[in-house]
Amino acid sequence: MLSFTIQNVLIATADDYATVDVQVVDGKITAIAPNLQIIGTAIDGKNKLLLPGFFNAHTHSSEMWQRGIMSVLPLELWLAELYDFAPLDTEQVYLSALGTAVETLLSGGTSVVDHLVLIPGLELETIAIAIRAYTQVGIRAFIAPLIQDESLTAGIPSGESTQNHQPYFRSTAATLEIIEEAVRKFHRPDEGVSILVAPTGIQLCTDALFAGCIELSDRYNLSRHSHLLETRAQEKLAQEKYGCTAVEHLKRIGYLSNKTSLAHCVWLNDTDIAILAETQSTVVHNPLSNLRLGSGIAPILKYRQAGVNVTFGCDGASSNDSQDLLEAIKIGSILHNVTDLDYQHWITPRQSVEMASLGGAKGLNVDDKLGSLTVGKQADLVLYDLTNLSLLPRTDPIGLLVLGRPSNVVHSAWVNGKQIINNGKFTTINVDELRQELFNRSQWETKRKSETVAQIEAHYRKVMGL
């Protein structure tokens, strides 16, 4: 259904709402006004709210297999435990990408940025199978293959001790070759699949890897995506590695730009924030994983006041344990009412919606095509059922959507004009079969601490003064 007309639907105006018709032709919005001529299929929008699709702007789909079981630990120890699990297989990658897409769409997201964990030795196959899953569901996919060239222990400050880290199993050059091959094979933005360069972060990447990613980004016009200063340990590590802040270093080597989105950004100072504004870099706020891992509360209100673009992400489903984008938006908005006494800076529901949609598009340098209900933009749209119990009584629809606890409220969703959800049901996949497959491929289990994790924990506690 690439051409259709949504009739009598509620949309947000500058400071109110209006009931209009919305025309979509060949996957693009062509008109927004009352009483339009019906083009294509007529869709009843009465008692429904139409919004642009949100961006789940940072997640790791394959972590779905560990959700609910990870210990209550800070990031560095949590990662050691995560790496200690049995390795992934391609079927798990496929099923977890399907699950991530479904949960994202059911919470208002039409695009996902997957900082995809790669199976060693099967890197291109991992990317291909995740793309197959996302294409099957129909969500717009921004695949950011997670790469590093340093071993896990290098991500923890040394302190006063001398650390000898094992070399990473794959060379920097080989890693960059894999990413370039992925770009050649899979980067098809017009078909809804984009490849990003995505070094995991300063904690596990050399400058050589960052430089290679910058070169690929410039040569192929690719967006860039990384973690940045998620924890206090990473702040300390940056000073050890560079003698300056991580943000100052990334600016120095040319990684920051209007094509760069940075997940977390918890431990930045005022100078760092000014640099992000100057370079037009985007911050992806992941409030739930930051709370789950004790990483801290990112100074989002400071970012917004400085003119930094901010959007939202769920983060991986084992550091959040959910892919409910509406939950991330709610917590990510109201959390900061306790960090800043000046309520005039607090985030309103309408601002939250704009951050989740247009903010996500800006972070990926696609705001000319996506992120708002604008004539000429691609029809990535979500229709919410305002008769649903969790969106009643009839007060402010966006206020209820953001501040309430909406469930089962997505009536319909389209990506590039193709309908993915109709009357709450997926048109592209059988969700019951997916649910059964996820159940069959997993089992109830408990965790045990390995000797490797115990050693890393001992060093972490010493260097962090615990």
Side-chain angles (χ1 to χ4, degrees):
M1 190 192 297
L2 300 182
S3 296
F4 55 92
T5 305
I6 306 174
Q7 296 182 289
N8 301 313
V9 72
L10 201 66
I11 65 167
T13 58
D15 55 4
D16 201 356
Y17 295 92
T19 299
V20 298
D21 297 345
V22 177
Q23 272 181 3
V24 172
V25 177
D26 294 333
K28 288 188 176 181
I29 301 169
T30 54
I32 303 173
N35 304 314
L36 291 174
Q37 175 188 356
I38 295 174
I39 293 181
T41 305
I43 294 170
D44 184 7
K46 187 178 180 182
N47 298 323
K48 298 179 182 68
L49 172 69
L50 185 68
L51 292 176
F54 300 147
F55 286 71
N56 186 354
H58 176 71
T59 191
H60 308 279
S61 61
S62 61
E63 285 183 18
M64 178 171 285
W65 295 99
Q66 288 85 34
R67 66 180 180 181
I69 194 174
M70 296 297 294
S71 301
V72 181
L73 292 169
L75 174 74
E76 285 74 19
L77 304 183
W78 175 92
L79 271 176
E81 186 175 277
L82 183 69
Y83 275 51
D84 208 39
F85 269 100
L88 289 166
D89 61 43
T90 53
E91 181 66 13
Q92 286 177 307
V93 170
Y94 174 67
L95 291 172
S96 55
L98 286 177
T100 297
V102 167
E103 289 190 294
T104 296
L105 279 155
L106 290 175
S107 54
T110 53
S111 292
V112 61
V113 178
D114 190 354
H115 209 176
L116 182 67
V117 177
L118 304 177
I119 300 173
L122 295 173
E123 292 87 355
L124 291 170
E125 290 88 343
T126 306
I127 296 167
I129 203 148
I131 289 171
R132 180 163 74 87
Y134 287 135
T135 303
Q136 185 177 342
V137 176
I139 199 168
R140 193 178 295 274
F142 296 84
I143 307 293
L146 189 152
I147 53 173
Q148 64 191 77
D149 59 352
E150 293 185 299
S151 60
L152 185 63
T153 56
I156 300 176
S158 296
E160 297 178 359
S161 60
T162 301
Q163 297 292 307
N164 294 312
H165 307 297
Q166 291 292 324
Y168 195 61
F169 75 92
R170 187 176 56 230
S171 72
T172 303
T175 296
L176 291 169
E177 286 173 8
I178 288 168
I179 299 306
E180 183 166 13
E181 183 65 17
V183 173
R184 291 198 192 104
K185 283 189 171 184
F186 306 121
H187 185 59
R188 304 287 185 272
D190 292 343
E191 298 172 21
V193 176
S194 299
I195 301 295
L196 281 60
V197 292
T200 186
I202 62 102
Q203 66 278 13
L204 295 174
C205 298
T206 64
D207 282 356
L209 186 60
F210 275 110
C213 287
I214 293 166
E215 194 277 329
L216 288 174
S217 169
D218 290 344
R219 180 147 47 101
Y220 292 103
N221 191 27
L222 308 173
S223 292
R224 310 167 184 179
H225 187 69
S226 296
H227 301 97
L228 178 63
L229 293 176
E230 186 173 352
T231 65
R232 189 182 289 275
Q234 290 175 9
E235 180 190 37
K236 291 168 69 75
L237 180 67
Q239 288 294 335
E240 280 189 2
K241 288 182 74 168
Y242 312 125
C244 63
T245 72
V247 175
E248 289 171 326
H249 186 72
L250 290 179
K251 180 189 177 185
R252 185 183 303 153
I253 64 175
Y255 188 71
L256 303 179
S257 76
N258 66 340
K259 296 190 294 187
T260 305
S261 60
L262 303 160
H264 302 291
C265 297
V266 177
W267 295 96
L268 275 64
N269 62 34
D270 290 347
T271 301
D272 294 335
I273 294 171
I275 290 172
L276 293 190
E278 173 196 340
T279 57
Q280 300 179 56
S281 302
T282 288
V283 169
V284 183
H285 189 22
N286 300 273
L288 289 156
S289 63
N290 291 344
L291 292 170
R292 163 83 150 87
L293 302 176
S295 301
I297 299 176
I300 295 303
L301 301 188
K302 278 190 174 184
Y303 293 135
R304 286 173 50 79
Q305 290 169 61
V308 177
N309 182 50
V310 180
T311 189
F312 298 100
C314 288
D315 207 357
S318 61
S319 65
N320 172 344
D321 306 276
S322 166
Q323 290 295 290
D324 187 331
L325 192 50
L326 286 169
E327 182 183 45
I329 293 167
K330 174 179 178 175
I331 300 300
S333 301
I334 65 175
L335 177 62
H336 308 285
N337 297 2
V338 300
T339 65
D340 191 328
L341 290 177
D342 190 347
Y343 54 86
Q344 292 184 336
H345 296 147
W346 293 356
I347 300 170
T348 68
R350 282 174 177 252
Q351 289 170 336
S352 299
V353 164
E354 184 174 8
M355 291 164 66
S357 51
L358 189 60
K362 285 180 178 177
L364 295 159
N365 210 26
V366 291
D367 50 306
D368 59 331
K369 300 179 180 69
L370 300 168
S372 63
L373 295 182
T374 304
V375 171
K377 288 196 175 183
Q378 292 171 325
D380 286 21
L381 308 171
V382 178
L383 196 61
Y384 297 91
D385 180 4
L386 297 179
T387 69
N388 182 284
L389 183 61
S390 61
L391 294 182
L392 290 172
R394 289 189 289 172
T395 54
D396 177 12
I398 289 178
L400 283 163
L401 188 69
V402 172
L403 297 176
R405 185 61 179 91
S407 58
N408 303 316
V409 294
V410 171
H411 180 278
S412 298
W414 296 264
V415 175
N416 204 28
K418 179 182 177 182
Q419 189 160 25
I420 309 299
I421 300 175
N422 181 18
N423 199 22
K425 304 292 184 184
F426 277 81
T427 62
T428 52
I429 65 165
N430 187 320
V431 176
D432 288 335
E433 288 182 0
L434 170 62
R435 188 183 301 118
Q436 191 63 52
E437 282 293 322
L438 286 167
F439 184 86
N440 292 342
R441 281 297 307 266
S442 55
Q443 60 184 4
W444 313 121
E445 54 184 308
T446 55
K447 284 220 47 68
R448 59 177 179 80
K449 187 182 296 185
S450 72
E451 184 177 341
T452 302
V453 173
Q455 290 173 348
I456 292 173
E457 182 175 11
H459 172 68
Y460 175 87
R461 290 188 65 81
K462 179 181 178 182
V463 77
M464 297 304 292
L466 298 174

